[in-house]
Amino acid sequence: MAALLESLLQKEVEAIKAVEWLKHDGDSDSVAWCKPLKIERKEFVPFLLNFLREQSCSALTHGPATPAKTPSHPRVSQPSQQGPGFSSERRGGCRSTRPGTGPRSASRVQLFSSTPSLSPGAEWDTTHPPSGSHCLGGISALSSPSSTSRHTPSERRSAQRASLGDFMLSPPELQHHSLNLGVQQQPRGRRKSAGMGGQGRQGGGRGVFQIEEVGPGRSEGGGRKGRGGAAVSPPMAQMTTLVQLNLTNLEDFPPMGMSHASPPLHTKPSRRINPTPVSAERPHSRPKTCFTSTPFSTRPSSPPPVPEAVTGGITGALNVGSPSLSLQEERELLKRVKCKRAQQVCSPLPTSFDPCTPTKSGLRLGSGSKMTPDTQGSCPDPSKVTLTSELDLLADIYCTCISENLVPNVFLELFFVLQLLTSRTPAVTEEEDKDLSMGKLDVLERSYLSKVHNCVYFSVRVLENQFELVSHLDKDTLRLLAENERVTCFSPSLRNRLTLAQDPSTAKVSPSVDTFIHSVPFQPATDNRSNFSSDKAFHTFKKQRDIFYEVLREWEDFHKEPRWEFETALGSRVRGMVSQLNSAGNHSHFARLFLKQLVQMCKGPRALGSPGDTPDADLLGMLGADSLGRLKRLEERLIQPQGILGPCPPPAFPGHQEFFRDFLKTASCCQLNQHLKDSLCQQLLQLDEVSILAPVVSSTEGEGDMEQQDEKQRFSSVLLLARLLAKFLGYISFLPYQTSERPSREIQESTAALRSKSMSVLDVCAVLRSCVRRRRTILTVPWLVEYLSMLDFTGPFLLCYRTVLGLLLSLYRRMVLSREGEVCYLNQLLMVAVLGWLFQIPVIPEELFFSTDFTVDVELEESETNIQGLDCLPLVDRQLLYTCCPFLGEFRKLLAAFVAGSSARGGGLIRKITPTSAELRGTPTTTRSQQKLQVDLEQAFFHNQPPSLRRTVEFVAERVGSNCVKHMKVTLVCELVRGGERLLREGLISPGANPLILNDSICAQLCDGGQEALERATRFCSEKGPEAIRVLLPDETSPAVLTTSENITKRLATEKACSWLSSNITALVKREWKTKFDRVIKSLPSPEASGVQGSGSGLGAKAGASAVTQEQSRTPKRDMGEEEAVTSCPPDCPHSAPLPSDVLVEIKEVLSIAVGPRSEKEVLTYLQLNALLGKVGDTLSCKKFSFPMPEQMLIRCTVLLACKLVSGELPMVSPQEECGRTVSPGRTVSPGPVLSDSPVQRVDCSIKALLEQLILLWGRDCCSSAPLHLLFTKMTLRAVLMASDSQWDNFLFLVRQLVERGILGEEEVVSHWRKLSQLPWPTEFIEKIQQQSSSTTSLPLPELQNHMDMLQVSQQPVEGAN
Amino acid sequence: MKLSRAEYKEIVKCTEHLRPTRQCMTILRQRFPNHSQSTLLSIFSLEYQKRTKRTMSWHHAPECIESYYQRYLSEAKARPSVPVLLELANEVDLSPALMARVIVDRFLQDQEGGVSSKQVLNNMLREPSLIPDQALANHVYQCTINDCCYGPLVDCIKHAIGQEAEVLLRDKLKERNLSFLDENQLRTKGYDKTPDIILEVPIAVEGHIVHWIESKASFGDDHSHRTYLNEQFWSYWNRCCRWRDPATCSLLGLLSLGLKVPYRNVNKVLSKRTTFCEHFALHRPLEILRHPNP
């Protein structure tokens, strides 16, 4: 591991290769290079993570520690080969070379060994360097070559590093070394767990880091450092013990705050590379370093005595020096702390305890009182970043690990990165700086992240890389990040992206109305007498119901009082009621009531809020339901300390859930539990099957349609309910096995063996497999995670849970966020978040994540590809994500704490708070209290009515509201846009109009007009709502009830519609208008612009206008929208004209005959061509099938046909011949135009007639864009001139006619002639052309004819000469 | 109108040795007098396109282009009045329009010394009179106008046919009182990729449920079925029909092709079910709507 990282940092291995390797573990080609290193991905990743944690430990002084990761290899303890006595002396030395005891222990030993007299071990070590290295021999051989033969002062270090790297490679080696500790290990291990007892996790060594411990741990560390550096004077014996204790403690205490904690003696922080602490003494169980960042604690609000007690305990333990004694003491301590914690957990937000203002919060964890000003963190400076390339490299590799889901919890890493971003580290002087970064030759020992500059640089780089993930966080977090001065300083581009990313966030989901009546209403179907076995049971149940609610009310009133305990206050009453249950056999009834009440109170995001809102509810309720949420948030911001819990809080029962949990615990009634289990199971599986429709393809970006929101809401409500039920099912199922402490390995194994015989209440494997197969993981996985989070310590070792965890793990691995799969991003994000959380909670064994036991990918792959499951639907939004994973809010808290901290120094950051009292437009002006009363009245009304009434009213209101919005879209918005289009077109006509300015003004006008929507919506709802209610309610409904229902429906529907419209109508109008505007602008020909330009550039308006018309007439793409084209069909058009495509085919045929090559037989007749031109005319006049492109082509073809006619290239036969030829039977033979003598003349006449026909055609409006310039191309003219005189004659005839009829402008013709005359021609041609050119200009039109005659005469000799 | 596979194969076989010119079309027409010119042309055109796809890279090899160009130059010099370019194209079996394109492109390289823009090239092919060399202009004109499979005019005709077919389709649906949303309506509703028609109320055609109709005004051979299926229909399926319950929308209607394909066994249908329909006769595809069952 170390070798790989080292060679990476030394650039012996290319970073790209490593990244490739991380991405595709096991690929043969790309990873061939790493074969000799014998590394495995699953080992490298934890090593890297630990490395980063270690590196940054001095910089991270705030927030909960982000613990290191540990791959745990089951290690078998073997009998010591060297005997117990062996280790006592050599312990220090060997330990220093034995990384297995954990990096921190190693580092401490190193620290102490710098003073030779400190411990025998150290002495041994320093005095016998060769044997020390010998001790490492086998390891060194395996390690990177650079370290084997080094005899520098840092030899030991490098040796150690080498052994660190090899540690994981060579378990035998490890065992060998670990055995060195011999006897002493066992007690140490035990003591350690005891020492950690303060953190509440015993035995399992789940190093639960707790803030209470930070104080002692830190001060102790500081002291130690002091001694290490300056050889302060505790007795030697104590020191030895201290060493031992440190070893144990520090393995569990993440070394955060180290440097902070040593303020009195500013020694150089001990920089040791402490990789992967692996416990050698607990062969099978979990490693010590905690996966969980903050299981229970990090609650800044914890009362101060506890840490003191712990400190005392620890010091006591130190002083005693005897393992067993300290063990005993620490157990005591553990109990006390646990007791405390139990209380705290009951009231998760004991805000009253901690009056800390946010300003301090950033520093609080850094034990602010001790902090000297200069340690408050130097201002990071991009120019002071050292080791940039290495940091880049580390960041790249780290990012790969994150984006490939190789880390156990993506959000934990993100949290770590943000911690780095907001890190504060004491100012480092230049020399130290230099020493820190460059002084050490060893690449792994350099301080990459010890300075705040480097931390921020690294962090910003990772954030840039992981931008997509970051951009899906909530708006507040993004804003805080964007406003973070460090981000601005280090990467302005990242800041810009963050600012941009804030915009598209959160489509608003209206908050659900609070339930004001908390009790489950009586329901005749299940609650009346006939459902009970006896009168007695019936009456008993009524009494039980009363007691239940009494208990509930009492809990609500008192549970937050200090020293109130459920058990003592309510225990007897609850048990009394339960015993009645048993005698009356009412369990199923009570279970139903219990669950209904649970769902009613705890479903939905509210339940996750603080439970203490009940006393304030009335007060806040005065302000109306919709403002309630906002006020609550404001309140939270004001009174809630920014206690940063870290991204992995332990499973908890927030809000009213706590009551239900305590109730179950106190009642401890197995019958009730069984009934609950049955019905929870049934409900859960039903919910799991619920069908969610795909939201209709949303119209466009941003605000979802109402229906889409409805489906989303439905999904989120199903999901939240399922999670709630699953959590309680899990709680009840594992309740019998819950232990406060992790049982020993043996007990665990035997229990597991025992329990594996009975069936689990829920077949989790089957559920998971089926959801994967049906692509419904987005619904199932979150509730399954809730269920599994309730597991007891033994649970994960049962086969079924082992399997399901393995399946979840592979699911997690596959859920790579950056990979565009069919699963929507936010869906993925939710799953990654909950799964990551699950992997971090204490009961889940850590070895799970990095072990490869589970190769179940295959199973997951076999899903049917064609099934359109829920996974592909965009169901999750940010709100749901944050509701399900409230711990994501920790990012915001962390950043806010930083702002608070930094602003205290930097002169304060002014935060603009939008006043919450701003009136929503369109809300009636009745006072808030009246509104509240109204809502309460309505609730009361429904309470007395059958549930169907409420359902009907709500359904109708919802539908009417939705329809209303749609109606507004179709009517009002369309009207507005149409009006806008009219305005735009009018505006564009006026000279000098600027479309963009017009657009803005019209858009503003329309948006104002959009406000009318609210009024119209109200009218619509008042009209439609009551209608529907009247139809749907039974005829027998009393008039009063009917009227009330109608009114409620009206109100609800109006509210729904208006709230949507008021927030969305402007956007909607803008969007529609934009589309229309674009279309209008596009339909305007480009000359429009040139026309505008022309008039703008000072030309007369008339000239400009004429330029426009001329241009238009020549551009094929005129304003010929489809609708217009269709409408311009002549009246009574039967649409029976030949299709353009047919005519095109035909005319193509004629043209290709004209162009050749052709056979002798292929000739055309006048009649054929005549008919063809007729068809063309018909086709052009009927617009039904006419589309711009074919139409233009058709007209173009007529011009080409004319060219061929005048040039005589079209093989035509005279009418006589034609009569002789077979005429197609359907055609009526009309007499030729003129019957002249010679065939040539006859043909000539027919050509003239055809030209006439063409001229008529071009004279039509539709053909005004005919590309007549084609007549004057060199090709045409050449063909004409090469042919006989009559052709020239025809050509001139055509041109003359065109000019005469105004189809061609005179100037245009002249310019054509001029252009032609400049081309290289034979002399006689030039003469002809020049004559034309001059005659056309000099002579007025009527005289043209004469001149042409003259010309023709004069041409004769030339012809003859030919 | 349906065409039996045997007949279709015969036509395809016959086109194998033909060149895409007017003369060859005449041969084809004489050989299969029972089929309309448009059907024959469409089949020929599709077949020829396939052929071109196969040989295109060969024709476009630089040395090949050079040899064509040199041959053209010498021939044009030797026999100015003969349509040399067309003959050359037929000889090497390259579509005349494409041959013209190759030669003009090469010609422009000589003229301007550099690579000409595509725009200029296209304009010259559309309007040969823009070509500076008079003889070449004539030859190009001969090529583009005679080609029945490629070239600007043919493209335009195909375009027109497609649009006309959609109008006809809408007419037919209106005639039968079927309520539908056409592409424009769908687009305003925000669908990004839409079929031509979505039926508001699905119909059953010969036992298959049809939700939407895509009009393809070209002959529905195996290859085009497959291509359209891959390129278009699956995305319609994903984007348009998603909101329907998959169970009820289990069929795709490839109506204009005269082939209805249950989406589950598309491949099977393509291989076994040999219903072909004449497409160019624009009314035919809608024959399938004969028995609407709304």
Side-chain angles (χ1 to χ4, degrees), chain A residues 207 602 1143 1339:
Chain A
C602 304
V1143 181
L1339 294 169

Side-chain angles (χ1 to χ4, degrees), chain A residues 1153-1332:
Chain A
I1153 291 176
V1155 173
R1158 57 174 175 260
S1159 67
E1160 285 299 313
K1161 288 182 219 156
E1162 286 177 306
V1163 283
L1164 294 157
T1165 62
Y1166 164 77
L1167 288 177
Q1168 274 175 325
L1169 290 171
N1170 186 38
L1172 176 62
L1173 288 180
K1175 279 187 198 172
V1176 172
D1178 291 350
T1179 301
L1180 287 175
S1181 57
C1182 171
K1183 299 289 178 183
K1184 184 171 179 189
F1185 294 96
S1186 165
F1187 292 90
M1189 200 171 110
E1191 193 183 274
Q1192 284 304 317
M1193 187 55 97
L1194 202 53
I1195 296 170
R1196 186 189 176 82
C1197 285
T1198 58
V1199 179
L1200 293 176
L1201 187 63
C1203 294
K1204 294 298 163 195
L1205 273 174
V1206 291
S1207 68
E1209 285 170 279
L1210 210 55
M1212 284 189 68
V1213 287
S1214 63
Q1216 265 81 26
E1217 288 172 80
E1218 190 180 327
C1219 293
R1221 300 169 76 89
T1222 48
V1223 179
S1224 48
R1227 245 169 231 164
T1228 49
V1229 183
S1230 64
V1234 188
L1235 289 171
S1236 305
D1237 320 71
S1238 76
V1240 179
Q1241 272 178 329
R1242 284 198 292 271
V1243 168
D1244 196 46
C1245 284
S1246 9
I1247 287 177
K1248 279 226 169 61
L1250 288 170
L1251 289 177
E1252 285 273 12
Q1253 210 175 340
L1254 280 168
I1255 292 165
L1256 282 175
L1257 187 70
W1258 295 333
R1260 290 200 209 167
D1261 277 347
C1262 61
C1263 298
S1264 54
S1265 60
L1268 292 175
H1269 65 274
L1270 291 176
L1271 291 172
F1272 296 94
T1273 58
K1274 191 181 169 191
M1275 246 169 102
T1276 317
L1277 205 67
R1278 188 184 158 86
V1280 172
L1281 289 169
M1282 295 286 273
S1284 66
D1285 257 354
S1286 64
Q1287 266 72 39
W1288 178 242
D1289 193 17
N1290 284 339
F1291 182 74
L1292 293 179
F1293 166 76
L1294 178 64
V1295 174
R1296 199 171 56 224
Q1297 289 295 315
L1298 285 173
V1299 174
E1300 266 177 22
R1301 302 191 191 187
I1303 299 168
L1304 260 181
E1306 199 180 329
E1307 304 88 24
E1308 213 179 327
V1309 176
V1310 173
S1311 77
H1312 282 312
W1313 283 128
R1314 284 220 181 103
K1315 254 184 241 164
L1316 284 170
S1317 64
Q1318 282 156 14
L1319 295 171
W1321 297 101
T1323 30
E1324 66 268 39
F1325 291 178
I1326 288 188
E1327 279 172 22
K1328 279 186 181 179
I1329 293 165
Q1330 276 173 346
Q1331 275 172 348
Q1332 283 304 320

